[in-house]
Amino acid sequence: MQFVGFTKNDFDTFNIEGLDARMKAIEERIRPKFREIGQLLTNELSVSIGEEMFLHIAKHARRTVNAPKDTWLAISGNKRGYKQHPHFQVGLFDDHVFIWLAFIYELPNKEEIAKMFLKKLKTIKTSIPNDFVVSQDHMKKSATSLKEIDLKKALERFRDVKKAEFLIGRQIAANDPILTNGAEFMDVVRNTFETLIPLYKLPYK
């Protein structure tokens, strides 16, 4: 199975007006690609992590009026869901692709995870490249490079603020040629996840 890459048409999905019309385009244009990417990555992550991982593709089921501004696949160690667990994501906004290891606000033990990360702050800083970026809210496009962010402050916020999140990984602009080359893009995703697997495992050591 060979993923062919993303096209301008995929990103244009998020310019379509109306919930039903945009959801139809997501189903037809993007989800087949997510299934391809997800099957490859789920198998590989299961081997790398040493436990069975499961693919989840965002359904946007709660939406009744507003069309989604982004969509994604998630891979977690739980078959039934991913939001209450650390998980890996690949997804699209209208202007970029995101590749995340995500710890979002639904995590029941996020305070304990944040404390563990704060203890290992130096290790995290030295093991993850400076060009990786951090987001504190998965619903927003904005992210800050590891080089520029005050990581201690971000993790303290993740620990102390109920709705705060911690997502770390890479963003690739929609016009970056690498997105049209499926093999090269998958190499970037694999490299990103391999770099982040030790962080994924850290709370469970």
Side-chain angles (χ1 to χ4, degrees), residues 55-95:
L55 173 63
H56 306 270
I57 294 176
K59 295 176 181 174
H60 308 290
R62 295 178 191 169
R63 290 185 175 272
T64 55
V65 180
N66 296 320
K69 294 178 181 178
D70 64 335
T71 192
W72 61 89
L73 68 87
I75 299 169
S76 81
N78 187 282
K79 190 173 185 178
R80 297 183 66 179
Y82 63 93
K83 292 182 179 181
Q84 294 189 340
H85 307 272
H87 58 275
F88 298 88
Q89 284 186 12
V90 177
L92 285 76
F93 274 98
D94 63 345
D95 62 353

Side-chain angles (χ1 to χ4, degrees), residues 70 89 91-93 95-100 131-145 167-174 176 178-179 185 188 192:
D70 64 335
Q89 284 186 12
L92 285 76
F93 274 98
D95 62 353
H96 72 271
V97 167
F98 50 86
I99 307 164
W100 292 130
D131 66 336
F132 275 45
V133 295
V134 171
S135 168
Q136 295 177 272
D137 185 341
H138 78 276
M139 297 179 75
K140 294 180 179 176
K141 292 180 178 182
S142 58
T144 308
S145 73
L167 300 92
I168 184 165
R170 283 183 166 126
Q171 292 181 332
I172 303 174
D176 192 316
I178 200 168
L179 293 180
F185 171 71
V188 172
T192 304

Side-chain angles (χ1 to χ4, degrees), residues 111-121 202-203 205:
E111 187 178 336
E112 289 74 23
I113 290 173
K115 287 176 181 175
M116 172 68 74
F117 288 166
L118 283 162
K119 282 182 186 175
K120 300 286 186 179
L121 197 60
L202 197 58
K205 285 186 176 178

Side-chain angles (χ1 to χ4, degrees), residues 39-53:
Q39 285 168 11
L40 290 168
L41 292 175
T42 303
N43 292 336
E44 292 168 8
L45 282 169
S46 296
V47 173
S48 297
I49 291 169
E51 64 175 86
E52 189 172 5
M53 302 293 282

